[in-house]
Amino acid sequence: MTAACALSPRQALAALTPAERTAWHDASARARAGCWRGDFRDSPAEYLLKAMGGAAHLPALHPAVNPCVVARAYILDAMLLDALRGEEHAEVWNIGAGFDARWHRLGPHHPGMPAEVVWHEVDTPRVLALKEALLRDSPFSGAYAAVVRHEVHREEDMGEVARVMCQGASPTRRIVVMEGLLDLLPAQVKHGLLVALRRAMPGGVLLLDALDAAGAAFDNRRPERFTGHPALRVHGISDDAGLFFLDAGWAVTRSQAIMGRVPAMVCARYGLPAVLGRVPLPAAMTDHYRCYALRPARDLASGAQAGEHTPRGDGSVR
């Protein structure tokens, strides 16, 4: 039995590092997603929050955090479905998976999923042990048992998973999702992770969210309101996201402003006229935090992705 399993769930949660606990904050937001989007539910997250009991373990985050987490998950789910369209077999790697349950939300029951998807999760031993312990007696334990899990000991070591990918070379399409991770990594660590993944998955797809430098500076004025801890700061990418990703060998094929979906969610949550949710927010509020779909730039340049989606700006997610 691991040390994390020997602790009570509350003790194991308290033993997580501030960066690891951001995964619990995200799960808590998704557990209450029904308040913000009637068409988005995360049943495993609801189960986890109920199993932990109470709310004393949740920090006082900025009011925009919860709807942004829900909007981010919704957008990345839609991007993943888009990337999987037409595939019969695929591998989905969730790096920095935390307590996410995309393997349930987009499981075999979902009409848009391929016939066979192998789900992989990568996170620290403490997070994976706590997640397994909480789900062990849940209605979701069978589905989670089929998820292949990989341990790394620090967020900065997430690039080590690229070696695992190379060892298990597969002819199926590989898609990597990194949700809520990139902002926690310093610039050099981000770059190294992106380069390692590009080398490990030629022809693959990378889906992630990222703040730019201005967005990170805003959050870092009061980090505890956005990360849950006063010493946990975020690290934005350069304001020219296309160049930042291209420098690591990735080309942006799709981009979506996360905050752009929040007004409609706020209107639904508080019973405001729906027309207010259709009023676009100024770019100064929406452009600093986005979801991105990336493809290896070399593949696109060589025509390897001919016939697939062309780069988009802020088009709606289908």
Side-chain angles (χ1 to χ4, degrees), residues 229-241:
H229 194 278
L232 182 60
R233 300 169 65 85
V234 291
H235 309 271
I237 62 175
S238 67
D239 292 337
D240 190 331

Side-chain angles (χ1 to χ4, degrees), residues 261-285:
R261 290 196 165 264
V262 171
M265 295 165 60
V266 171
C267 289
R269 172 70 176 87
Y270 295 105
L272 302 175
V275 66
L276 295 178
R278 293 193 288 271
V279 177
L281 294 174
M285 293 182 64

Side-chain angles (χ1 to χ4, degrees), residues 111-183:
M113 291 297 287
E116 182 180 338
V117 175
V118 178
W119 295 90
H120 295 257
E121 288 193 347
V122 183
D123 217 306
T124 64
R126 288 177 297 271
V127 170
L128 292 176
L130 177 56
K131 185 175 184 178
E132 181 180 4
L134 287 171
L135 290 176
R136 185 175 297 125
D137 297 322
S138 76
F140 316 102
S141 59
Y144 188 55
V147 176
V148 184
R149 280 157 262 175
H150 309 270
E151 294 183 353
V152 294
H153 289 278
R154 302 180 307 159
E155 289 77 16
E156 292 84 355
D157 297 331
M158 292 293 176
E160 293 296 313
V161 74
R163 297 181 185 176
V164 178
M165 287 183 173
C166 290
Q167 293 168 0
S170 170
T172 63
R173 166 64 62 87
R174 276 182 170 156
I175 300 173
V176 166
V177 181
M178 293 194 298
E179 184 175 0
L181 172 65
L182 208 66
D183 293 336

Side-chain angles (χ1 to χ4, degrees), residues 149-301:
R149 280 157 262 175
H150 309 270
E151 294 183 353
V152 294
H153 289 278
R154 302 180 307 159
E155 289 77 16
E156 292 84 355
D157 297 331
M158 292 293 176
E160 293 296 313
V161 74
R163 297 181 185 176
V164 178
M165 287 183 173
C166 290
Q167 293 168 0
S170 170
T172 63
R173 166 64 62 87
R174 276 182 170 156
I175 300 173
V176 166
V177 181
M178 293 194 298
E179 184 175 0
L181 172 65
L182 208 66
D183 293 336
L184 299 176
L185 305 178
Q188 286 299 107
V189 179
K190 288 187 213 289
H191 185 269
L193 173 57
L194 293 171
V195 169
L197 289 173
R198 189 253 304 162
R199 291 172 176 167
M201 47 185 290
V205 179
L206 178 56
L207 307 175
L208 53 84
D209 63 284
L211 286 161
D212 66 11
F218 179 86
D219 287 8
N220 285 334
R221 293 188 303 175
R222 293 189 64 188
E224 69 280 3
R225 296 281 275 158
F226 297 93
T227 67
H229 194 278
L232 182 60
R233 300 169 65 85
V234 291
H235 309 271
I237 62 175
S238 67
D239 292 337
D240 190 331
L243 282 179
F244 175 83
F245 292 122
L246 193 59
D247 187 52
W250 293 94
V252 177
T253 60
R254 191 169 185 178
S255 170
Q256 176 106 16
I258 295 170
M259 279 291 295
R261 290 196 165 264
V262 171
M265 295 165 60
V266 171
C267 289
R269 172 70 176 87
Y270 295 105
L272 302 175
V275 66
L276 295 178
R278 293 193 288 271
V279 177
L281 294 174
M285 293 182 64
T286 62
D287 279 357
H288 302 301
Y289 189 32
R290 306 181 72 88
C291 288
Y292 297 92
L294 310 176
R295 302 285 177 94
R298 180 176 296 179
D299 292 347
L300 291 177

